[in-house]
């Protein structure tokens, strides 16, 4: 999926459609490199692959826990963070609007990872059942909402999106 493991102190990546250079400390994860380069929308909830707060999409849209991904292996990768869901004018994606509408974001800490997981779901399943939505969120921990508002928001966003066109990252 990504480039070879090589000793480096920086990598060139595409982030939400723009080229960027990430600093890479020895042994750093992609999450650490993203955050140290100012991409604070990628959250560190557990640092050990449990909570999903650090989710990003890699390359062809692979849902990835960036806290488990060695940064040095991502040279040349295309990365989508939650900011990549915004359109060219900076307007919110329907998923983001529905999260606001449903009060599905409370403290907000989990939301970047949840939205990336939800976006990944809708890329592959434009009309998910509640069970499929719940399954898609099973790798995300939210301490605030009880998940029901998030499920309802994703269901309503799916209903709004044009079902005839494949959903692509808006960058
Ligand atoms: Fe990566 Fe929790 S910070 S899964
Ligand atoms: Fe607070 Fe999810 S909204 S952890």
């Amino acid at each position: 999926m990504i480039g070879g493991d090589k000793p480096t102190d920086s990598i060139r990546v595409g982030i939400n459609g723009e080229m960027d250079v990430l600093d890479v400390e020895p042994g750093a994860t992609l999450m650490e490199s993203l955050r140290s380069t100012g991409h604070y929308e990628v959250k560190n909830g557990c640092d050990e692959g449990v909570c999903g707060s650090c989710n990003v999409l890699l390359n062809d849209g692979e849902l990835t826990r960036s806290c488990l991904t060695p940064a040095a292996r991502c040279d040349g990768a295309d990365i989508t963070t939650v900011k990549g869901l915004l359109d060219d004018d900076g307007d919110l994606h329907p998923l983001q609007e529905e999260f606001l509408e449903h009060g599905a974001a409370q403290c907000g800490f989990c939301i970047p990872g949840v939205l990336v997981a939800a976006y990944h779901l809708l890329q592959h399943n434009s009309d998910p059942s509640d069970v499929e939505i719940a399954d898609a969120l099973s790798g995300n921990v939210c301490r605030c909402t009880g998940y029901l508002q998030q499920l309802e928001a994703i269901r309503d966003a799916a209903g709004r999106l044009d079902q005839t066109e494949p959903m692509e990252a808006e960058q």
Side-chain angles (χ1 to χ4, degrees):
M1 65 172 185
I2 41 188
D5 219 343
K6 63 177 185 179
T8 181
D9 57 10
S10 66
I11 56 173
R12 285 183 59 80
V13 294
I15 302 182
N16 303 326
E18 295 186 2
M19 294 306 299
D20 203 349
V21 176
L22 300 184
D23 299 328
V24 178
E25 298 294 327
T29 65
L30 178 59
M31 178 188 72
E32 291 168 333
S33 292
L34 284 165
R35 289 180 57 81
S36 71
T37 314
H39 294 280
Y40 298 115
E41 74 272 24
V42 179
K43 298 300 183 189
N44 180 5
C46 70
D47 206 16
E48 56 184 19
V50 174
C51 73
S53 299
C54 65
N55 279 343
V56 298
L57 302 182
L58 272 188
N59 296 329
D60 56 357
E62 181 182 358
L63 184 61
T64 301
R65 288 196 177 339
S66 60
C67 72
L68 297 180
T69 304
R73 296 186 60 197
C74 296
D75 194 26
D78 289 318
I79 300 165
T80 302
T81 74
V82 70
K83 285 187 175 178
L85 274 60
L86 300 173
D87 69 15
D88 291 341
D89 296 324
D91 292 330
L92 296 179
H93 187 276
L95 274 167
Q96 296 165 310
E97 293 178 340
E98 291 298 333
F99 268 60
L100 288 172
E101 182 70 21
H102 286 271
Q106 293 185 19
C107 83
F109 195 88
C110 70
I111 298 301
V114 171
L115 283 169
V116 169
Y119 184 79
H120 178 263
L121 167 68
L122 297 187
Q123 283 185 306
H124 295 86
N125 182 353
S126 62
D127 186 22
S129 67
D130 287 356
V131 170
E132 289 170 328
I133 295 172
D135 186 59
L137 296 186
S138 64
N140 292 81
V141 175
C142 176
R143 297 175 299 179
C144 304
T145 67
Y147 304 100
L148 180 59
Q149 301 99 316
Q150 297 182 354
L151 186 150
E152 292 172 342
I154 294 167
R155 183 203 298 146
D156 286 358
R160 286 177 52 187
L161 291 164
D162 182 353
Q163 306 298 306
T164 63
E165 295 182 9
M167 199 170 67
E168 297 179 357
E170 299 170 44
Q171 297 164 354

